[in-house]
Amino acid sequence: MIPDILAAGPVMPVIIIEHADDAVPLAEALLAGGIRTAEITLRTPSALAAIEQIASGCPDMLVGAGTITSAEQAQQVKDAGGVFGVSPGSTEALIDGCNKSGLPMLYGAQTLSEMMALAEKGYHQMKFFPASAAGGIDFLKSVHSPMPHLRFCPTGGINQQNAAEWLSLPHIVCVGGSWLAPADLITSHAFAEITKRAQAASNLRRSD
Ligand code: 3PG
């Protein structure tokens, strides 16, 4: 399931949403621009309701949750109709708990040891976070030779200008970022601008 989510497009939008009523128009704006996944971060009180509204109102959108840091949140996301979860990191307790909920998870890693620990558990696709601050493209390039079996979705500091460079690396399946649908564009209902940004993002190409 996570491989399918990551293969759905070159960019996974990372979304901070203040009002659940904006969720369906937002999802429709992204879909109109060719973006078929949405990571709604659990950083606002309305995030779960937003996931629920997209899951029931936009069947073409693969909606999931970001910033999952507890097993309880993973269960709430599943109950809301989310089809995947993303965490900035990974702990034993989080992985055990999320496995119980059955929500497919994309875990975050920053160091080689964290990446190896996830691979030991069978997770060969992971989020590299915070991508720019944690070493950027040079760091992730260096990981490929010793760990050629790992695949990444880097997130943090990526935008329309530098996304193509990240996507040119052979072990990057997609990138994540908030630039497509930043909170201010959502709250001001600038959905045409979001569609424009989604269109530009979905036209980016992976190396393969
Ligand atoms: C985040 O956690 O907010 C995401 O990684 C998005 O980062 P960005 O705002 O730099 O795209």
Side-chain angles (χ1 to χ4, degrees):
M1 185 62 185
I2 289 296
D4 297 336
I5 299 285
L6 299 181
V11 180
M12 163 100 74
V14 176
I15 293 155
I16 297 175
I17 191 161
E18 296 291 344
H19 307 289
D21 287 350
D22 294 337
V24 168
L26 164 66
E28 286 171 347
L30 290 168
L31 284 167
I35 294 287
R36 294 165 40 229
T37 57
E39 177 191 330
I40 310 288
T41 58
L42 300 185
R43 300 182 198 173
T44 58
S46 55
L48 283 170
I51 291 168
E52 204 166 354
Q53 294 208 12
I54 295 172
S56 60
C58 290
D60 292 338
M61 178 59 83
L62 295 163
V63 63
T67 327
I68 292 182
T69 55
S70 74
E72 187 191 3
Q73 288 176 322
Q75 188 61 55
Q76 289 170 337
V77 169
K78 188 133 197 291
D79 294 345
V83 294
F84 69 98
V86 183
S87 178
S90 67
T91 65
E92 297 286 333
L94 181 66
I95 292 174
D96 286 351
C98 288
N99 279 343
K100 289 195 184 92
S101 78
L103 185 72
M105 287 289 297
L106 179 71
Y107 293 106
Q110 182 181 352
T111 67
L112 270 295
S113 294
E114 290 168 359
M115 293 169 188
M116 288 165 64
L118 281 172
E120 279 174 10
K121 293 185 171 66
Y123 299 99
H124 295 106
Q125 299 204 328
M126 54 194 79
K127 168 170 164 145
F128 172 49
F129 178 81
S132 294
I137 289 180
D138 286 346
F139 175 86
L140 205 54
K141 258 187 202 163
S142 307
V143 169
H144 188 45
S145 179
M147 318 274 273
H149 53 297
L150 300 186
R151 296 291 176 269
F152 296 94
C153 170
T155 306
I158 300 177
N159 53 46
Q160 183 67 32
Q161 285 67 46
N162 62 19
E165 195 182 353
W166 285 96
L167 288 165
S168 72
L169 303 187
H171 53 321
I172 292 195
V173 285
C174 67
V175 299
S178 62
W179 83 89
L180 288 73
D184 59 329
L185 289 190
I186 301 172
T187 46
S188 62
H189 294 180
F191 296 119
E193 173 64 18
I194 290 172
T195 295
K196 205 170 118 193
R197 293 185 185 200
Q199 183 92 59
S202 61
N203 283 336
L204 290 162
R205 287 290 164 258
R206 299 187 185 94
S207 62
D208 52 2

